[in-house]
Amino acid sequence: MIKLYSHYLLLYSFLAIPSLYAQIRDCKPEQLENIEVAKILMDYRGPLYVNYFNKLKDRPKYNRFKGELFLGGDDNFSHTFLYYEPKNIKGASSPLLLIYSGIGGITKLEKYMAKFFVEKGYSVVVSHFLQAENLHNISRYENTMLRTLKVGFSLIDFFSSFGTINLNKIGVIGISFGGIRGLYHIALDQRIKAASLIVAGAPLEEILVHSKMKQVAEIREHHMRSLNTLDLDKYKNTLHNKGLLLQDFLCLRSNSNFLLFISNNDSWVPSRYQWHLWSLLGHPKYEVFKKGHLATPLTVAFKKLGKIHNFFEENW
């Protein structure tokens, strides 16, 4: 089930095989074995250094910082992020919320969400890490996905060292491809208690094949050119064979850990794959919108953040 390429197990290529999906909390022995392998690999993800951590703004209710982490090891690289620190925290510590942006990077939308939650007393990290330019090269695809996962783990590692963070209250909000990133992170990192995923879907390889988003179409074009094929089925099979079986990790999770916001009019993360994710997660709480891929997250930001806040509070 697990293939060894060089010194990496391709446990992290962020791909799933739909026919092998298992039920939530229905872990088979081989799945538990793969989970243990994943934990070992992430335990040896390399040292973590802080390149800088600078205050940008001082607001009445919060401070905003910009930081950069350097992840060492065999494959060293850096990652920048925004951090919103609440003032006048009630109690000894605050929840930690990771917000993962879409493929286009951090926008005013993620900053708006961060401001809402930091004013609720949450410590908030806003992160964009997709390296879309590297995804264009299919030979670097697995390594890019592994890097993405390492960033998520390392952000929690770093902020766990803050005495003001409640390590029992860690959540994720993921938007679009940031939602897919958040899905894989919560599947592998048991420190995360809950995730709200907005216009996210699964399996990733089906989205890469069928998405009409311009950036994804460009990635698909580069991949197929490097494979010297115009056959979408051949391309999809190549992605399948790179092989993370997502259910090996989600089997540890309950559907109560998830809140989904689904667009019924989406061609970028096609709606059928958003519903497929809902089924994969064991039919968690959800809300559906007739709006498209861009309008749905905006509607969630302006009208549903209170619902997401209540969801997190129920899961702590």
Side-chain angles (χ1 to χ4, degrees):
M1 182 182 297
I2 303 176
K3 301 179 181 179
L4 181 63
Y5 286 69
S6 182
H7 62 290
Y8 288 127
L9 288 173
L10 294 188
L11 213 50
Y12 303 109
S13 61
F14 279 37
L15 303 175
I17 301 176
S19 62
L20 296 179
Y21 282 163
Q23 295 296 315
I24 301 288
R25 293 197 176 279
D26 182 23
C27 293
K28 298 178 174 60
E30 62 270 20
Q31 293 173 321
L32 293 173
E33 181 179 343
N34 289 345
I35 290 169
E36 289 306 312
V37 172
K39 288 179 179 178
I40 292 172
L41 286 176
M42 293 315 297
D43 283 345
Y44 290 93
R45 53 189 174 271
L48 177 65
Y49 306 95
V50 182
N51 286 340
Y52 64 84
F53 189 67
N54 301 326
K55 183 185 289 188
L56 298 179
K57 292 186 177 181
D58 186 336
R59 300 296 193 191
K61 294 185 178 181
Y62 65 90
N63 296 314
R64 191 174 85 177
F65 298 80
K66 184 175 183 179
E68 182 177 88
L69 299 181
F70 179 81
L71 286 71
D74 294 337
D75 178 36
N76 55 75
F77 60 98
S78 297
H79 171 60
T80 58
F81 58 89
L82 297 177
Y83 174 58
Y84 293 72
E85 176 191 55
K87 295 181 178 179
N88 303 319
I89 299 174
K90 295 180 180 180
S93 58
S94 66
L96 176 65
L97 176 63
L98 306 177
I99 299 179
Y100 290 156
S101 70
I103 197 171
I106 297 172
T107 68
K108 291 182 179 179
L109 175 66
E110 291 81 16
K111 294 176 182 179
Y112 179 86
M113 291 181 171
K115 183 175 180 292
F116 174 90
F117 280 97
V118 74
E119 291 183 350
K120 295 288 186 182
Y122 284 43
S123 295
V124 185
V125 181
V126 183
S127 169
H128 169 69
F129 189 84
L130 186 61
Q131 291 195 318
E133 66 279 6
N134 287 340
L135 282 177
H136 282 72
N137 186 337
I138 198 167
S139 66
R140 299 168 68 180
Y141 182 80
E142 296 86 2
N143 179 255
T144 301
M145 294 299 101
L146 179 59
R147 282 184 168 194
T148 301
L149 188 58
K150 285 181 176 180
V151 165
F153 271 76
S154 296
L155 285 171
I156 293 183
D157 291 344
F158 175 61
F159 286 100
S160 293
S161 67
F162 286 32
T164 56
I165 300 296
N166 188 329
L167 302 184
N168 294 314
K169 297 182 177 182
I170 301 177
V172 170
I173 293 176
I175 304 167
S176 183
F177 279 79
I180 299 172
R181 176 185 171 195
L183 172 68
Y184 282 88
H185 191 183
I186 190 174
L188 287 168
D189 195 338
Q190 296 298 307
R191 293 174 296 182
I192 302 175
K193 305 305 180 186
S196 180
L197 309 177
I198 304 168
V199 292
L204 178 57
E205 78 276 11
E206 294 283 356
I207 297 170
L208 290 175
V209 169
H210 297 290
S211 174
K212 294 183 179 180
M213 183 185 289
K214 180 181 178 181
Q215 295 97 320
V216 179
E218 291 174 352
I219 292 170
R220 181 169 61 241
E221 180 181 343
H222 282 275
H223 284 178
M224 295 180 71
R225 187 183 300 128
S226 68
L227 294 171
N228 195 27
T229 184
L230 297 175
D231 188 334
L232 284 174
D233 287 334
K234 180 179 178 181
Y235 172 50
K236 181 168 64 176
N237 288 336
T238 300
L239 295 177
H240 274 306
N241 291 334
K242 292 185 178 295
L244 167 65
L245 302 182
L246 180 57
Q247 83 283 355
D248 284 356
F249 311 104
L250 284 175
C251 69
L252 290 176
R253 289 294 183 175
S254 165
N255 57 10
S256 64
N257 298 149
F258 299 94
L259 172 63
L260 304 188
F261 293 93
I262 296 170
S263 166
N264 248 354
N265 186 28
D266 197 338
S267 62
W268 288 11
V269 176
S271 300
R272 62 186 179 276
Y273 299 119
Q274 295 184 41
W275 285 111
H276 193 90
L277 174 59
W278 176 74
S279 179
L280 168 64
L281 295 177
H283 303 171
K285 293 179 181 178
Y286 74 99
E287 191 161 340
V288 63
F289 299 85
K290 295 181 180 179
K291 303 177 186 295
H293 189 83
L294 296 177
T296 295
L298 287 173
T299 303
V300 171
F302 293 133
K303 296 184 177 181
K304 302 297 179 180
L305 293 186
K307 182 173 183 176
I308 297 175
H309 176 254
N310 292 337
F311 163 73
F312 285 132
E313 292 297 309
E314 291 169 0
N315 272 272
W316 299 147

